Amino acid sequence: MAKVKISDVAREAGVSLGTVSNALNHPEKLRPETLKLINETINRLGYLPNQSARQLAGGATKSFGLVLPRLDHGFSLQIASGAHNEARKHGYDLLIANADNDDILEDHYLRYFMGTQMSGVMVQPMASPDWHPVMAKMPVPIVHLDIHCSEPGYYVAADNEAQGRIIAELAITRGAHHIVVVGRAAFMQLTLRVLGIHKALALHPDIKIEVIDAGEWNTAADGYGIGAQIAERPADERPDFVVGLTDVLASGVVSALVDKGISVPGQVRVAGCDGNPLAWSGSVPLTTVAPPGYEIGRKGVQLLMEQIENKAPAKIKHIRVGSAARTVTAVAAEDINRQELVRPFLLERASTQASSQTDATAINLGAYL
């Protein structure tokens, strides 16, 4: 079967080569009816653009790459959704790779995307206590997502300190006297959540705070084990509010408490801290503080476009520590550290609600993702 050429598409559709080229590369420039005609012709003839030829000619593809650590967490899915929609808005495609919690595979996909002449790459690094950028100099624009870092580069992250502070403020509002924080703060994100909790409670010395620094952050079984231990305590030693540093841990705590005959939220209120809808299948809908992953993905693409269009400030370095920011002038362009912090929002559900509150547990998870 003879290979279909772009000239065949133009002739069949009755348009110029330039119009077909715009349909492939700049569809926003065409009228909807013209774009529909060309796409129907492409599909009917089976035309496939020769991306390899473009790369050999030295041109970057109108595509961004996104490397995610896993696809079993709602936060990563939200990032992908926001990045996809923002990329399409600017006329770029988005290719997604799943590193499957393997740092070697993550590095492989990062280098693969760069080697295929992507216009830019975003990566959400695997959680690590000592993370730093893999490469000192990048051949294409790159943005790191969900990470704080003082080294030169472009970063977008949720305000993890605010996540902890917001959930602690909810506990205070609900009249908590004894708060237990569940989870091992092995990574920067979790450490910042604990810091936010402590800062919020600093002005409330009458509230007892206890941190159970144990278990894996992504294992419901660990949350269940800790929840079972809490349930076995005498009533006067049992906390009235439990915060899981992740929703997976919190959902495990809820399951254990309910199984042991402890009412949630009647006797103990429980909240998560990372907005993962894939952990919300328990019998009691879980309160959480949701980092807007969609916005992180969207801002990631915006920072790629800023680099591509050379809009980055040449001699300004922005540094963020927690929720504070300061600006240092007279810094070389290659030393720029741009960090965008995205504020999370409270999503209160049945696990912490007062009995008089209206049930607001029904959530359109499709819209949330």
Side-chain angles (χ1 to χ4, degrees):
M1 186 174 180
K3 184 176 181 180
V4 179
K5 301 177 181 179
I6 189 172
S7 57
D8 298 325
V9 175
R11 182 173 58 255
E12 183 72 14
V15 298
S16 67
L17 286 174
T19 301
V20 178
S21 178
N22 278 336
L24 296 170
N25 301 303
H26 304 285
E28 72 281 359
K29 293 184 177 181
L30 300 182
R31 293 181 299 175
E33 57 270 23
T34 303
L35 182 60
K36 180 181 178 182
L37 170 64
I38 294 172
N39 285 335
E40 288 176 346
T41 304
I42 286 173
N43 292 335
R44 185 171 66 255
L45 297 180
Y47 170 71
L48 295 175
N50 190 339
Q51 298 292 351
S52 297
R54 174 183 293 181
Q55 292 174 24
L56 289 172
T61 63
K62 286 278 287 186
S63 301
F64 293 139
L66 172 62
V67 183
L68 297 173
R70 58 198 179 278
L71 292 178
D72 61 351
H73 194 293
F75 182 53
S76 294
L77 299 178
Q78 295 166 46
I79 287 176
S81 179
H84 169 265
N85 289 340
E86 187 69 16
R88 293 303 302 155
K89 174 182 173 183
H90 294 281
Y92 286 78
D93 294 319
L94 181 71
L95 279 69
I96 300 173
N98 174 21
D100 200 25
N101 287 317
D102 184 330
D103 55 355
I104 295 176
L105 194 56
E106 176 186 290
D107 185 50
H108 164 75
Y109 281 130
L110 184 59
R111 294 179 185 277
Y112 174 79
F113 279 151
M114 291 183 177
T116 54
Q117 294 182 288
M118 292 281 180
S119 294
V121 179
M122 293 168 287
V123 57
Q124 181 191 358
M126 289 177 54
S128 170
D130 57 352
W131 181 89
H132 60 86
V134 174
M135 302 169 65
K137 292 187 179 297
M138 304 294 182
V140 300
I142 186 169
V143 176
H144 293 94
L145 308 176
D146 189 34
I147 196 74
H148 305 261
C149 186
S150 60
E151 296 185 34
Y154 290 75
Y155 307 90
V156 184
D159 190 338
N160 284 277
E161 185 179 318
Q163 285 177 243
R165 185 175 66 251
I166 290 170
I167 210 68
E169 289 170 350
L170 174 66
I172 294 167
T173 301
R174 292 283 168 262
H177 298 288
H178 181 184
I179 299 173
V180 166
V181 179
V182 173
R184 188 165 58 90
F187 309 125
M188 179 190 306
Q189 294 91 333
L190 304 186
T191 300
L192 287 171
R193 291 171 198 171
V194 175
L195 177 62
I197 292 170
H198 279 294
K199 283 187 174 181
L201 295 176
L203 299 178
H204 298 271
D206 54 316
I207 299 178
K208 179 180 178 181
I209 181 170
E210 176 185 353
V211 179
I212 301 180
D213 189 11
E216 295 294 331
W217 65 276
N218 60 346
T219 305
D222 287 341
Y224 189 96
I226 295 171
Q229 295 173 19
I230 292 173
E232 295 298 327
R233 295 183 182 185
D236 60 346
E237 297 179 12
R238 193 182 302 141
D240 52 8
F241 203 108
V242 177
V243 178
L245 291 183
T246 67
D247 287 7
V248 170
L249 285 173
S251 66
V253 171
V254 171
S255 295
L257 292 175
V258 172
D259 287 351
K260 299 294 184 179
I262 304 296
S263 172
V264 178
Q267 294 171 276
V268 180
R269 292 188 169 94
V270 182
C273 212
D274 69 347
N276 180 9
L278 301 184
W280 297 349
S281 59
S283 58
V284 182
L286 184 67
T287 289
T288 187
V289 178
Y294 184 96
E295 184 67 6
I296 289 175
R298 197 176 71 85
K299 284 187 176 294
V301 171
Q302 291 176 352
L303 288 187
L304 285 180
M305 294 303 302
E306 181 177 288
Q307 295 175 72
I308 290 170
E309 297 173 359
N310 294 319
K311 291 182 179 179
K315 292 188 177 181
I316 298 179
K317 180 178 181 180
H318 297 281
I319 302 175
R320 283 187 179 271
V321 180
S323 58
R326 63 188 178 89
T327 300
V328 181
T329 58
V331 178
E334 60 268 21
D335 292 332
I336 287 175
N337 177 286
R338 275 292 304 277
Q339 296 205 44
E340 293 281 344
L341 282 183
V342 179
R343 182 174 174 80
F345 60 92
L346 176 66
L347 185 59
E348 187 171 17
R349 305 170 79 211
S351 68
T352 62
Q353 287 177 337
S355 58
S356 60
Q357 283 185 278
T358 302
D359 184 14
T361 61
I363 294 175
N364 181 346
L365 295 186
Y368 177 76
L369 289 173

